Amino acid sequence: MNFWLFKSEPDAFSIDDLKQKKIEHWDGVRNYQARNYMRDEMKQGDLGFFYHSSCKQPGIVGIIKIKREAYADFTSWDPEGDYYDPKSSVDNPRWVMVDVQFVKKFKRVISLDELKQNRKLQYMQLLKKGNRLSIMPVHAEEWETILALL
DNA sequence: GCCAACGTTGGC
DNA sequence: GCCAACGTTGGC
């Protein structure tokens, strides 16, 4: 099983939104590296951290599970939508999404600062300078280390 | 709102 | 294929 980290701006889509919806498609990823992770490596049953970015308290807020593996991101076909990409077609979709299921919301936010303070997490992709990936893998040891913070 | 870092685009 | 210009991300 693989572990992942999903970033989202809580103003747009938060852990509470997912909790309410139970299952939701993770649309709008328009970065090739993030897409390739979803398309090539993400498997049903994989777990991921839900990370809130660009907000008052950036950090990890809960856990989600991959419910459906990668399929065409239909939001790329909607000319009226925010995620429209004219180079993506029904016959030849450029972008993919997965379905994720709410698993758990943590009682507290594991803040970005707390992650930075932890020596065991010093090589986490999330903490690399200038990191802008919205979906990234998390090593099993890092996953365990983070859960142990709770 | 600022700005560093990064990805993408497009002219050459 | 290079690289400058531009747009976006995301912490602060």
Side-chain angles (χ1 to χ4, degrees), chain A residues 3 14 20 27 34-35 57 69 90 103 116 122 139 147:
Chain A
F3 299 102
S14 72
Q20 197 177 0
D27 60 23
R35 179 202 68 180
Q57 200 184 12
E69 294 176 12
V90 177
V103 174
K116 282 180 181 168
Q122 59 183 321
H139 292 130
L147 287 183

Side-chain angles (χ1 to χ4, degrees), chain A residues 1-5 37 41 47-49 60 120-126 128 136-147:
Chain A
M1 162 157 56
N2 295 313
F3 299 102
W4 303 97
L5 184 140
Y37 282 136
E41 297 182 44
L47 295 174
F49 286 129
I60 296 170
K120 289 183 191 167
L121 301 175
Q122 59 183 321
Y123 299 117
M124 250 192 114
Q125 201 162 343
L126 177 73
K128 291 217 176 98
M136 67 190 85
V138 174
H139 292 130
E141 313 86 70
E142 294 166 347
W143 182 269
E144 293 303 326
T145 299
I146 290 166
L147 287 183

Side-chain angles (χ1 to χ4, degrees), chain A residues 105-121:
Chain A
K105 178 184 177 181
F106 296 152
K107 292 200 178 70
R108 66 181 187 87
V109 177
I110 303 176
S111 70
L112 178 61
D113 193 54
E114 187 174 353
L115 298 171
K116 282 180 181 168
Q117 301 299 330
N118 195 309
R119 286 188 59 253
K120 289 183 191 167
L121 301 175

Side-chain angles (χ1 to χ4, degrees), chain A residues 75-111:
Chain A
T75 66
S76 67
W77 303 328
D78 175 11
E80 307 298 317
D82 291 338
Y83 298 124
Y84 179 57
D85 180 356
K87 291 172 182 159
S88 178
S89 66
V90 177
D91 289 338
N92 190 17
R94 175 173 293 212
W95 305 108
V96 301
M97 56 189 173
V98 297
D99 286 353
V100 300
Q101 179 180 38
F102 175 84
V103 174
K104 166 189 285 195
K105 178 184 177 181
F106 296 152
K107 292 200 178 70
R108 66 181 187 87
V109 177
I110 303 176
S111 70

